[in-house]
Amino acid sequence: MPRIEVNRSGEMEVFVQVFERGGFSAAARGMGMTPSAVSKLVSRLEARLGVQLVHRSTRKLQLTPEGQQFYERSVRVLADIDEAERSATADAAPRGRVSINTSVAVGMQVLVPLVPDFMREHPQVQLDIVLTDRVVDLMDERADIAIRWGPLPSSDLVARKLGETRLVIVGSPDYLARQGMPRKPQDLLKHQRLDFSYRRRVPDWPLRVGGQVVEVPVQGNVRAGDGETLRQLAVAGAGLVRLSRYQVQADIDAGRLLPVLEKHNPGDSAPLHAVYLGKAGRLPSRVRVVLDFLQARMAADPRFGPAA
């Protein structure tokens, strides 16, 4: 019995558009089809696979667990096809959209200043940048890359280390003139210690005293949900803060912030990683060039490295 020819990549593309555009009508408009044709195609796909992929209602469209899995794999297959076709052409320059998710501090202090140079080197790659200190799910947020600071939990994500940075306690000259420069860790108990408003892996400030590390609790009248806000509060004279060196180096160089208790700094550092879905050897070129660019630029940045 002859096998009926099926355009599997075409089915995948329609299915992906249905989910990403939020419905059959929107997908139909985007692909130049009728809503009934899109609906019939998805129904045929479900019949061929023998599973329900979509929960249909008049109010919204929701994927079943099987539909979610098929969507994720379809996105990867279509990206591979697109990459294969692009590499076979004479113009194989990376192109397309790359979504990057990172914290406010990393975005403002590291990523954003590098964007103009990247655009000049790769004019056909478009960047979507989302800044949030919330750790997001890459699939839920449809992010290609997330740049994350600190130790990484176990996950299915692939990680590429971009650099490493030390932490430092800082305060503004005005604040320290008013409240006094701390000379020993116990002096911190008399100061406003600006803190993050979310739970962190290391909630206290570690300091080295006589060969041992002691921890000073962080207590103050002000907390914030991101490091960039805490940096600006410290510059404004609201108190002391402990942040990564990369966040405050420009302020230290300009005299807006002064390091505090550096002789008691335990020298602990935290890594910065780029994480992404998929396999390292099967990345679309548009994603790979972003990763390569970030890794090269940060390797040359004195704020990052074993002693940074």
Side-chain angles (χ1 to χ4, degrees):
M1 182 177 180
R3 182 176 180 178
I4 299 175
E5 185 175 347
V6 177
N7 182 357
R8 297 186 179 184
S9 64
E11 288 181 340
M12 289 180 177
E13 187 172 3
V14 171
F15 181 75
V16 166
Q17 289 297 309
V18 166
F19 175 65
E20 294 189 345
R21 293 177 181 268
F24 296 105
S25 297
R29 287 193 297 271
M31 303 191 72
M33 301 171 64
T34 64
S36 61
V38 171
S39 179
K40 289 177 182 177
L41 186 148
V42 173
S43 294
R44 288 198 302 270
L45 176 60
E46 290 177 319
R48 183 166 63 81
L49 298 178
V51 294
Q52 184 177 357
L53 301 175
V54 179
H55 289 306
R56 298 163 175 82
S57 73
T58 57
R59 304 185 67 178
K60 67 176 183 178
L61 178 146
Q62 184 178 10
L63 296 183
T64 64
E66 293 79 11
Q68 181 67 37
Q69 185 181 54
F70 187 76
Y71 165 77
E72 294 173 7
R73 294 188 176 182
S74 294
V75 168
R76 297 176 190 176
V77 168
L78 292 172
D80 285 344
I81 293 174
D82 185 57
E83 181 71 10
E85 291 180 345
R86 186 173 297 132
S87 64
T89 64
D91 178 13
R95 67 181 70 195
R97 192 168 299 278
V98 178
S99 174
I100 306 175
N101 184 289
T102 191
S103 68
V104 178
V106 172
M108 299 305 294
Q109 300 295 328
V110 180
L111 180 60
V112 170
L114 294 177
V115 168
D117 284 349
F118 179 83
M119 292 171 63
R120 283 189 287 270
E121 291 186 21
H122 303 285
Q124 298 182 78
V125 177
Q126 299 90 44
L127 300 178
D128 281 346
I129 299 173
V130 178
L131 304 183
T132 174
D133 278 46
R134 178 175 59 90
V135 177
V136 303
D137 183 288
L138 268 67
M139 184 57 66
D140 288 346
E141 298 293 328
R142 301 174 193 171
D144 296 295
I145 301 169
I147 304 174
R148 293 179 177 168
W149 177 86
L152 293 177
S154 177
S155 74
D156 293 331
L157 299 175
V158 182
R160 184 188 293 197
K161 187 174 180 180
L162 300 177
E164 192 167 332
T165 183
R166 290 178 64 236
L167 290 94
V168 59
I169 299 173
V170 292
S172 72
D174 174 67
Y175 173 83
L176 293 168
R178 286 185 286 110
Q179 301 297 327
M181 174 68 78
R183 301 300 177 185
K184 55 186 183 297
Q186 293 89 329
D187 293 344
L188 291 175
L189 301 178
K190 304 174 185 177
H191 286 264
Q192 289 289 333
R193 286 149 280 156
L194 307 176
D195 193 15
F196 289 89
S197 57
Y198 57 86
R199 186 175 182 179
R200 292 176 298 141
R201 180 175 173 269
V202 182
D204 300 328
W205 291 357
L207 292 164
R208 186 170 295 281
V209 179
Q212 293 185 332
V213 175
V214 299
E215 294 184 344
V216 177
V218 186
Q219 293 179 350
N221 293 342
V222 181
R223 298 193 303 168
D226 66 85
E228 181 62 16
T229 299
L230 291 175
R231 183 192 69 81
Q232 294 187 30
L233 285 167
V235 170
L240 303 178
V241 69
R242 188 173 192 257
L243 294 172
S244 300
R245 192 90 187 188
Y246 76 84
Q247 292 180 250
V248 296
Q249 188 61 57
D251 296 310
I252 293 173
D253 294 342
R256 293 184 294 266
L257 292 174
L258 299 175
V260 172
L261 295 173
E262 272 296 88
K263 70 177 182 179
H264 295 285
N265 191 326
D268 56 325
S269 62
L272 199 66
H273 289 93
V275 298
Y276 51 93
L277 293 165
K279 297 181 179 180
R282 298 184 60 186
L283 280 175
S285 60
R286 59 185 171 82
V287 176
R288 187 175 61 253
V289 294
V290 174
L291 292 170
D292 291 345
F293 176 88
L294 290 175
Q295 191 169 40
R297 289 306 181 93
M298 292 180 66
D301 191 326
R303 297 174 298 173
F304 297 92

